[in-house]
Structures are given as structure tokens and as C-alpha cells.
Amino acid sequence: MPPSPEYGSRVPALVLVSYGYQGIAELPDGKRVDCVFRRSVGRPLCGDRVELEMTDQSACAVTAISPRKNVFVRADRQKRKQSIASNLDRVALVIAPRPAPSTDLIERYLVAISSLGIEPVLVINKSELLVSDPQAETPPFSCIDDYRALGYPVVKVSCKTEPGVDALLPLLRGATSILVGQSGVGKSSLANRLVPDLEVQTGTLSRSTGKGTHTTTTTIMYSIPGGGRLIDSPGVWEYGLWEVTAQELCAGFPEFLPFLGSCRFNDCSHNGEPGCAVEKAVGNGQIRRWRYDSYQRLLEQNR
Ligand code: GDP
Ligand code: ZN
């Protein structure tokens, strides 16, 4: 074990948990330390790279936050942005046959993930339920093939039975990932499978805060065996978009891209304008109608 950094020295660290004006950060040697945030520096997010000033007191001070590669945000009902985590390499969007995805939820996530400049991965959990079950209330998941055809990587897993979750491991290794998706699709179950000592890590991260467990409301970054980090955030299931422009929305609809330059108006929002190439492509069957309908609903919700 290398010696602990000296009092007064400044060391780089990674923020694992952040709440209010304190949190827990990891030093380069893996040691975890409590830290306090200064108003002048601002509040770091889970995932932030920071500089810590070592003290001999119970908590170190965050003296700088490194520029962020990206920030995963959601919006509340008033469309106010809430930052959840930063510096993500991957967002795993978990969906399941049950509960069936609520309308447009996947599209909202796809728009948000595209805005981070990273490629979404669709994780179909409870995939054993996909076999056609005559008793099932929900129709088979025909949209999965559509998403695959649109170019999104799709991985089928199960926390209960075959094929297990191994197919996800190569995607998470060496990367910082977050699991997002509707409540009940199995995010916690997946986190428990991917992080075998999740409870121990949760215990360490909540105990040392001295404030009891915030773990049902706090975003936490876990270490994955073999390298990599997994962020579990309870806040992301009821996912709302902030106010987005038609252009930002289109980023979540990559199949529109080939047509975007051909609309009559430069600022076409593809919502009934004359000479709209996107609408024409829908009519020709080059763009799936259900996706275009979803686009229009998201646009309307933004007005
Ligand atoms: P979360 O709300 O997204 O965190 O979902 P949970 O992990 O709490 O899971 C919701 C429910 O789905 C629980 O009853 C789990 O036992 C169940 N579940 C999770 N994964 C699977 C799976 O692969 N197959 C089946 N059949 N059930 C699962
Ligand atoms: Zn158009």
C-alpha cells in the first residue's frame, strides 16, 4: 500500500457519491475518503474527476472539478434539468417485456443519450419472457428488431435464467456506464449480478458518510470486477426530457439524418411543413411510422 498523501497536498480523485455539500471520493491508490464541497468550487457530481486537498481532519476539501466529458441529465415535471452523473462512456438503456415500455420512454432516453455524444446500448432484460406466451398480456416485443435495424446494439440478458448477464460484461469492462430505464425492468437486479459485492460497496459508501443510508435516493458509482464502473441511479426511471429543439430531438432519430438536408425550409421541424423530406420518407416507408409518430409527440410535449 503506498503511503497516504501528505497533509496539505493536492491529489486527483474520482467522486463516487455526492449529496448536498459532501461526498466520498476515491484516490488513485483506491482508498476512499470523505470530502466536503466548497461553495466557491461548486458541487461535484458522481463521476467527476476532482482535485482534493488532503487534510488531517475527517474530510478533504474539493478544490477543483475537472472539465466534464458529458453530464447525464433528466428533467423534472417543470422541465428543470437535474444533473445525475458525469463522464459516462456508456448508457445501458434497460427494457423488458414486462413491464412493457411506456409510450415514448425509450425515444426520450435515446434523445438524451445521443445528446451526450455516446452510443446507447439497449439491454433487453427478462429476455426469457420473450418466447411467445399465449397467456401474456403484452404483445411480443416487435420493436427490438426495429431498434437493431436502426443500428443500435441490442443485448439480451436475464437475471433469472439463461442467458444470464455475461453478454453485458465486455461492454462494461474498462468503461464508466450507467443503467437507466423504467421502474421494474430489473436495473437493481442487473446491478447486483454485475457487482457481486454490491452490498458491501454500498455499505462502505453509505456508512462513511455518517448520515445513515441515502442509498435509496443517491446516485452511486460501483467498481466492477475486472475493471470498470457502474453507476446506479434511482432517479432515472421516470425520465423526462428538458426543453429540446427539433434539431436536438432528431439526434435521437438517426434514420431521419439522410433526409434532413432536403426539406424545403432550413428550419423545418418535420411537423406538417410543406415540402418536408422526412414526412415524405415516412410516406415512402423509408422511415418507420411509429418512430415518426413518437417524434411528433415528443415535439408537441415541448411546446
Ligand atoms: P428496477 O426497478 O429496474 O431496479 O427493477 P428490479 O431489479 O427491482 O426488478 C423488478 C422485478 O423484476 C423484481 O421482482 C425482479 O425479481 C424481477 N426481475 C429482474 N430481472 C428479471 C429477469 O431477468 N427475469 C424475470 N422473470 N424477472 C426479473
Ligand atoms: Zn422536414
Side-chain angles (χ1 to χ4, degrees), residues 139-203:
F141 234 36
S142 56
C143 61
I144 298 177
D145 293 332
D146 285 346
Y147 287 121
R148 202 177 264 131
L150 290 171
Y152 293 116
V154 176
V155 181
K156 289 185 186 171
V157 298
S158 173
C159 294
K160 295 265 157 142
T161 173
E162 295 303 314
V165 302
D166 287 358
L168 255 181
L169 296 176
L171 291 170
L172 305 180
R173 203 163 283 140
T176 298
S177 312
I178 187 169
L179 295 175
V180 302
Q182 201 174 340
S183 184
V185 293
K187 294 180 299 298
S188 318
S189 310
L190 276 169
N192 273 293
R193 292 286 296 262
L194 298 164
V195 184
D197 63 341
L198 183 129
E199 278 190 22
V200 177
Q201 291 193 41
T202 310

Coordinates of all heavy atoms in Angstrom, one line a residue, residues 139-203:
P139 N -48.1 -7.8 -26.2 CA -47.7 -8.4 -27.4 C -46.2 -8.6 -27.5 O -45.4 -7.9 -26.7 CB -48.1 -7.5 -28.5 CG -48.3 -6.2 -27.8 CD -48.6 -6.5 -26.4
P140 N -45.6 -9.5 -28.3 CA -44.2 -9.6 -28.4 C -43.5 -8.3 -28.8 O -44.2 -7.5 -29.3 CB -44.0 -10.7 -29.4 CG -45.3 -11.0 -30.1 CD -46.3 -10.4 -29.2
F141 N -42.3 -8.3 -28.4 CA -41.6 -7.0 -28.5 C -41.1 -6.7 -29.9 O -39.9 -6.8 -30.1 CB -40.4 -7.3 -27.6 CG -40.2 -6.4 -26.5 CD1 -41.2 -5.8 -25.8 CD2 -38.9 -6.1 -26.1 CE1 -41.0 -4.9 -24.8 CE2 -38.6 -5.2 -25.1 CZ -39.7 -4.6 -24.5
S142 N -42.0 -6.4 -30.8 CA -41.5 -6.3 -32.2 C -40.5 -5.2 -32.4 O -39.8 -5.2 -33.3 CB -42.7 -6.2 -33.1 OG -43.5 -5.0 -32.7
C143 N -40.6 -4.2 -31.5 CA -39.7 -3.0 -31.7 C -38.2 -3.4 -31.5 O -37.4 -2.6 -32.1 CB -40.1 -1.9 -30.7 SG -39.9 -2.4 -29.0
I144 N -37.9 -4.5 -30.9 CA -36.5 -4.8 -30.7 C -35.8 -4.9 -32.1 O -34.7 -4.4 -32.3 CB -36.3 -6.1 -30.0 CG1 -36.9 -6.0 -28.6 CG2 -34.8 -6.5 -29.9 CD1 -36.9 -7.3 -27.8
D145 N -36.5 -5.6 -33.0 CA -35.9 -5.8 -34.3 C -35.7 -4.5 -35.0 O -34.8 -4.2 -35.7 CB -36.8 -6.7 -35.2 CG -36.7 -8.1 -34.6 OD1 -35.7 -8.5 -33.9 OD2 -37.7 -8.9 -34.8
D146 N -36.7 -3.6 -34.8 CA -36.6 -2.2 -35.4 C -35.4 -1.5 -34.8 O -34.7 -0.9 -35.6 CB -37.9 -1.4 -35.1 CG -39.1 -1.9 -35.9 OD1 -38.9 -2.7 -36.9 OD2 -40.2 -1.5 -35.6
Y147 N -35.2 -1.5 -33.5 CA -34.1 -0.8 -33.0 C -32.8 -1.4 -33.5 O -31.8 -0.6 -33.8 CB -34.1 -0.9 -31.4 CG -35.2 0.0 -30.8 CD1 -36.1 -0.6 -30.0 CD2 -35.2 1.4 -31.1 CE1 -37.1 0.2 -29.5 CE2 -36.2 2.1 -30.5 CZ -37.2 1.6 -29.7 OH -38.1 2.3 -29.2
R148 N -32.7 -2.7 -33.6 CA -31.5 -3.3 -34.2 C -31.3 -2.8 -35.6 O -30.2 -2.5 -36.0 CB -31.6 -4.8 -34.1 CG -30.3 -5.5 -34.1 CD -30.4 -7.0 -34.0 NE -30.2 -7.5 -32.6 CZ -31.0 -8.3 -32.0 NH1 -32.1 -8.8 -32.7 NH2 -30.8 -8.7 -30.8
A149 N -32.4 -2.8 -36.4 CA -32.2 -2.4 -37.8 C -31.8 -0.9 -37.9 O -31.2 -0.5 -38.8 CB -33.6 -2.5 -38.5
L150 N -32.1 -0.1 -36.8 CA -31.7 1.3 -36.8 C -30.2 1.4 -36.5 O -29.7 2.5 -36.5 CB -32.6 2.1 -35.8 CG -34.0 2.3 -36.2 CD1 -34.8 2.9 -35.1 CD2 -34.1 3.2 -37.5
G151 N -29.6 0.3 -36.1 CA -28.2 0.4 -35.8 C -27.8 0.4 -34.3 O -26.6 0.4 -34.0
Y152 N -28.8 0.3 -33.4 CA -28.5 0.3 -32.0 C -28.1 -1.1 -31.6 O -28.7 -2.1 -31.9 CB -29.7 0.7 -31.2 CG -30.1 2.1 -31.4 CD1 -31.4 2.4 -31.9 CD2 -29.3 3.2 -31.0 CE1 -31.8 3.8 -32.1 CE2 -29.7 4.5 -31.2 CZ -30.9 4.8 -31.7 OH -31.3 6.1 -31.9
P153 N -27.0 -1.2 -30.8 CA -26.6 -2.5 -30.3 C -27.7 -3.0 -29.3 O -28.2 -2.2 -28.5 CB -25.3 -2.2 -29.5 CG -24.8 -0.9 -29.9 CD -26.0 -0.1 -30.4
V154 N -28.1 -4.2 -29.5 CA -29.1 -4.8 -28.6 C -28.5 -6.1 -27.9 O -28.0 -6.9 -28.6 CB -30.4 -5.2 -29.4 CG1 -31.4 -5.9 -28.5 CG2 -31.0 -4.0 -30.1
V155 N -28.6 -6.1 -26.6 CA -28.1 -7.3 -25.9 C -29.2 -7.9 -25.1 O -29.9 -7.1 -24.3 CB -26.9 -6.8 -24.9 CG1 -26.4 -8.0 -24.2 CG2 -25.9 -6.1 -25.6
K156 N -29.4 -9.2 -25.2 CA -30.5 -9.8 -24.4 C -29.9 -10.5 -23.2 O -28.9 -11.3 -23.3 CB -31.2 -10.9 -25.3 CG -32.0 -10.2 -26.4 CD -32.8 -11.3 -27.2 CE -33.5 -10.6 -28.3 NZ -34.1 -11.6 -29.2
V157 N -30.5 -10.2 -22.1 CA -30.0 -10.8 -20.8 C -31.1 -11.3 -20.0 O -32.3 -11.0 -20.3 CB -29.1 -9.8 -20.0 CG1 -27.9 -9.4 -20.8 CG2 -30.0 -8.6 -19.6
S158 N -30.8 -12.0 -18.9 CA -31.8 -12.4 -17.9 C -31.1 -12.5 -16.6 O -30.0 -13.0 -16.4 CB -32.4 -13.7 -18.2 OG -33.3 -14.1 -17.2
C159 N -31.7 -11.9 -15.5 CA -31.2 -12.0 -14.2 C -31.7 -13.3 -13.5 O -31.3 -13.7 -12.4 CB -31.6 -10.8 -13.4 SG -30.9 -9.3 -13.9
K160 N -32.6 -14.0 -14.1 CA -33.2 -15.2 -13.5 C -32.7 -16.5 -14.1 O -32.6 -17.5 -13.4 CB -34.8 -15.2 -13.7 CG -35.5 -14.0 -13.0 CD -36.0 -14.4 -11.6 CE -36.1 -13.2 -10.8 NZ -37.1 -13.0 -9.9
T161 N -32.5 -16.5 -15.4 CA -32.2 -17.8 -16.0 C -31.3 -17.5 -17.2 O -30.6 -16.5 -17.3 CB -33.5 -18.5 -16.4 OG1 -33.2 -19.6 -17.2 CG2 -34.4 -17.5 -17.2
E162 N -31.2 -18.5 -18.1 CA -30.4 -18.3 -19.3 C -30.9 -17.1 -20.1 O -32.1 -16.9 -20.1 CB -30.4 -19.6 -20.2 CG -29.8 -20.8 -19.5 CD -28.3 -20.6 -19.1 OE1 -27.6 -20.1 -20.0 OE2 -28.0 -20.9 -18.0
P163 N -30.1 -16.4 -20.8 CA -28.7 -16.5 -21.0 C -27.8 -15.8 -19.9 O -26.6 -15.7 -20.1 CB -28.5 -15.8 -22.3 CG -29.5 -14.7 -22.3 CD -30.7 -15.2 -21.5
G164 N -28.4 -15.4 -18.8 CA -27.6 -14.7 -17.8 C -27.2 -13.3 -18.3 O -27.9 -12.7 -19.2
V165 N -26.2 -12.7 -17.7 CA -25.8 -11.3 -18.0 C -24.4 -11.2 -18.6 O -24.0 -10.1 -18.8 CB -25.9 -10.4 -16.7 CG1 -27.3 -10.5 -16.1 CG2 -24.9 -10.8 -15.7
D166 N -23.8 -12.3 -18.9 CA -22.4 -12.3 -19.4 C -22.2 -11.5 -20.6 O -21.2 -10.8 -20.8 CB -21.9 -13.7 -19.6 CG -21.6 -14.4 -18.3 OD1 -21.8 -13.8 -17.2 OD2 -21.2 -15.6 -18.3
A167 N -23.2 -11.4 -21.5 CA -23.1 -10.7 -22.7 C -22.9 -9.2 -22.5 O -22.4 -8.5 -23.4 CB -24.4 -10.9 -23.6
L168 N -23.2 -8.8 -21.3 CA -23.0 -7.3 -21.0 C -21.6 -7.0 -20.6 O -21.2 -5.9 -20.7 CB -24.0 -7.0 -19.8 CG -25.2 -6.2 -20.2 CD1 -26.0 -5.9 -18.9 CD2 -24.8 -4.8 -20.8
L169 N -20.9 -8.0 -20.0 CA -19.6 -7.7 -19.4 C -18.6 -7.1 -20.3 O -18.0 -6.1 -19.9 CB -19.0 -9.0 -18.8 CG -19.9 -9.6 -17.7 CD1 -19.2 -10.9 -17.2 CD2 -19.9 -8.6 -16.5
P170 N -18.5 -7.5 -21.6 CA -17.5 -6.9 -22.4 C -17.8 -5.4 -22.7 O -16.9 -4.6 -22.9 CB -17.5 -7.7 -23.8 CG -18.3 -8.9 -23.5 CD -19.1 -8.7 -22.2
L171 N -19.1 -5.1 -22.7 CA -19.5 -3.7 -22.9 C -19.2 -2.8 -21.8 O -19.0 -1.6 -21.9 CB -21.0 -3.6 -23.2 CG -21.5 -4.3 -24.5 CD1 -23.0 -4.4 -24.5 CD2 -21.0 -3.4 -25.7
L172 N -19.1 -3.4 -20.6 CA -18.9 -2.5 -19.4 C -17.5 -2.4 -18.9 O -17.1 -1.5 -18.2 CB -19.8 -3.1 -18.2 CG -21.3 -3.3 -18.5 CD1 -22.0 -3.8 -17.3 CD2 -21.9 -1.9 -18.9
R173 N -16.7 -3.4 -19.4 CA -15.3 -3.5 -18.9 C -14.5 -2.3 -19.3 O -14.6 -1.8 -20.4 CB -14.7 -4.8 -19.5 CG -13.5 -5.3 -18.7 CD -13.2 -6.7 -19.0 NE -14.1 -7.7 -18.4 CZ -14.5 -8.8 -19.0 NH1 -14.2 -9.0 -20.2 NH2 -15.4 -9.6 -18.3
G174 N -13.8 -1.8 -18.3 CA -12.9 -0.6 -18.6 C -13.6 0.7 -18.9 O -13.0 1.7 -19.3
A175 N -15.0 0.7 -18.7 CA -15.7 1.9 -19.1 C -16.5 2.3 -17.8 O -16.7 1.6 -16.9 CB -16.7 1.6 -20.2
T176 N -17.0 3.6 -17.9 CA -18.0 4.0 -16.9 C -19.3 4.0 -17.5 O -19.6 4.7 -18.5 CB -17.6 5.5 -16.5 OG1 -16.3 5.4 -15.9 CG2 -18.6 6.0 -15.4
S177 N -20.2 3.2 -16.9 CA -21.5 3.0 -17.5 C -22.6 3.4 -16.5 O -22.4 3.3 -15.3 CB -21.7 1.6 -17.9 OG -20.6 1.1 -18.6
I178 N -23.8 3.7 -17.0 CA -24.9 3.9 -16.1 C -26.1 3.0 -16.7 O -26.2 2.9 -17.9 CB -25.3 5.4 -16.1 CG1 -26.4 5.6 -15.0 CG2 -25.8 6.0 -17.4 CD1 -26.7 7.1 -14.7
L179 N -26.9 2.5 -15.8 CA -28.1 1.8 -16.1 C -29.3 2.7 -16.0 O -29.5 3.3 -14.9 CB -28.3 0.6 -15.2 CG -27.3 -0.6 -15.2 CD1 -27.6 -1.6 -14.1 CD2 -27.2 -1.2 -16.5
V180 N -30.0 2.8 -17.0 CA -31.2 3.6 -17.0 C -32.4 2.8 -17.5 O -32.2 1.8 -18.2 CB -31.1 5.0 -17.8 CG1 -29.9 5.8 -17.3 CG2 -31.0 4.7 -19.3
G181 N -33.6 3.2 -17.2 CA -34.8 2.5 -17.6 C -35.9 2.6 -16.6 O -35.7 3.0 -15.5
Q182 N -37.0 2.2 -17.1 CA -38.3 2.3 -16.3 C -38.2 1.5 -15.0 O -37.5 0.5 -15.0 CB -39.3 1.7 -17.2 CG -40.7 2.0 -17.0 CD -41.6 1.4 -18.1 OE1 -41.1 1.1 -19.2 NE2 -42.9 1.2 -17.8
S183 N -38.9 1.9 -14.1 CA -39.0 1.1 -12.8 C -39.5 -0.3 -13.1 O -40.4 -0.5 -13.9 CB -40.0 1.8 -11.9 OG -40.0 1.2 -10.7
G184 N -38.9 -1.3 -12.5 CA -39.4 -2.7 -12.6 C -38.7 -3.5 -13.7 O -39.0 -4.7 -13.9
V185 N -37.9 -2.9 -14.6 CA -37.3 -3.6 -15.7 C -36.1 -4.5 -15.2 O -35.7 -5.3 -16.0 CB -36.9 -2.7 -16.8 CG1 -38.1 -2.0 -17.5 CG2 -35.9 -1.6 -16.4
G186 N -35.6 -4.2 -14.0 CA -34.6 -5.1 -13.5 C -33.2 -4.4 -13.3 O -32.2 -5.1 -13.3
K187 N -33.2 -3.1 -13.2 CA -31.9 -2.4 -13.0 C -31.2 -2.8 -11.8 O -30.0 -3.1 -11.8 CB -32.1 -0.9 -13.0 CG -32.6 -0.3 -14.3 CD -32.8 1.2 -14.3 CE -33.8 1.6 -13.2 NZ -35.1 1.2 -13.4
S188 N -31.9 -2.9 -10.6 CA -31.2 -3.3 -9.4 C -30.8 -4.7 -9.5 O -29.7 -5.1 -9.1 CB -32.2 -3.2 -8.2 OG -32.9 -2.0 -8.3
S189 N -31.6 -5.6 -10.1 CA -31.2 -7.0 -10.2 C -30.0 -7.1 -11.1 O -29.0 -7.9 -10.8 CB -32.3 -7.8 -10.9 OG -33.6 -7.5 -10.2
L190 N -29.9 -6.3 -12.1 CA -28.7 -6.3 -13.0 C -27.5 -5.8 -12.3 O -26.4 -6.4 -12.3 CB -28.9 -5.4 -14.2 CG -29.7 -6.1 -15.4 CD1 -30.0 -5.0 -16.4 CD2 -28.8 -7.1 -16.1
A191 N -27.6 -4.7 -11.5 CA -26.5 -4.2 -10.8 C -26.0 -5.2 -9.8 O -24.8 -5.4 -9.6 CB -26.9 -2.9 -10.0
N192 N -26.9 -6.0 -9.2 CA -26.5 -7.0 -8.2 C -25.7 -8.1 -8.9 O -24.9 -8.7 -8.3 CB -27.7 -7.6 -7.5 CG -28.0 -6.7 -6.2 OD1 -27.3 -6.7 -5.3 ND2 -29.1 -6.0 -6.3
R193 N -26.1 -8.4 -10.1 CA -25.4 -9.5 -10.8 C -24.0 -9.0 -11.3 O -23.1 -9.8 -11.3 CB -26.2 -10.0 -12.0 CG -27.5 -10.7 -11.7 CD -27.3 -12.1 -11.2 NE -26.6 -13.0 -12.2 CZ -27.3 -13.8 -13.0 NH1 -28.6 -14.0 -12.9 NH2 -26.6 -14.5 -13.9
L194 N -24.0 -7.8 -11.7 CA -22.8 -7.3 -12.3 C -21.7 -6.9 -11.3 O -20.5 -6.9 -11.5 CB -23.1 -6.1 -13.2 CG -24.0 -6.4 -14.4 CD1 -24.5 -5.1 -15.0 CD2 -23.2 -7.2 -15.5
V195 N -22.2 -6.5 -10.1 CA -21.3 -6.1 -9.0 C -21.6 -7.1 -7.9 O -22.5 -6.8 -7.0 CB -21.7 -4.7 -8.6 CG1 -20.7 -4.2 -7.5 CG2 -21.7 -3.7 -9.7
P196 N -20.9 -8.2 -7.8 CA -21.2 -9.2 -6.8 C -21.2 -8.8 -5.4 O -21.9 -9.2 -4.6 CB -20.2 -10.3 -7.1 CG -19.7 -10.1 -8.5 CD -19.8 -8.6 -8.7
D197 N -20.3 -7.8 -5.1 CA -20.2 -7.3 -3.7 C -20.9 -6.0 -3.6 O -20.5 -5.1 -2.8 CB -18.7 -7.2 -3.3 CG -17.9 -6.2 -4.1 OD1 -18.4 -5.8 -5.3 OD2 -16.9 -5.7 -3.7
L198 N -21.9 -5.8 -4.3 CA -22.7 -4.5 -4.3 C -23.1 -4.1 -2.9 O -22.9 -2.9 -2.6 CB -23.9 -4.6 -5.2 CG -24.7 -3.3 -5.4 CD1 -24.9 -3.0 -6.9 CD2 -26.0 -3.5 -4.7
E199 N -23.5 -5.0 -2.1 CA -24.0 -4.6 -0.8 C -22.8 -4.1 0.1 O -23.0 -3.2 0.8 CB -24.7 -5.8 -0.1 CG -26.1 -5.8 -0.6 CD -27.0 -6.8 0.2 OE1 -26.7 -7.1 1.4 OE2 -28.0 -7.2 -0.3
V200 N -21.7 -4.8 -0.1 CA -20.5 -4.4 0.7 C -20.1 -2.9 0.3 O -19.9 -2.1 1.1 CB -19.3 -5.3 0.5 CG1 -18.1 -4.8 1.2 CG2 -19.7 -6.7 0.9
Q201 N -20.1 -2.7 -1.1 CA -19.7 -1.4 -1.6 C -20.7 -0.4 -1.1 O -20.3 0.7 -0.7 CB -19.6 -1.4 -3.1 CG -18.4 -2.2 -3.6 CD -18.2 -2.0 -5.1 OE1 -18.2 -0.8 -5.6 NE2 -17.9 -3.0 -5.9
T202 N -22.0 -0.7 -1.2 CA -23.0 0.3 -0.7 C -22.8 0.6 0.7 O -22.9 1.8 1.1 CB -24.4 -0.3 -0.9 OG1 -24.5 -0.8 -2.2 CG2 -25.5 0.7 -0.7
G203 N -22.5 -0.5 1.5 CA -22.3 -0.3 3.0 C -21.1 0.7 3.2 O -21.2 1.6 4.0

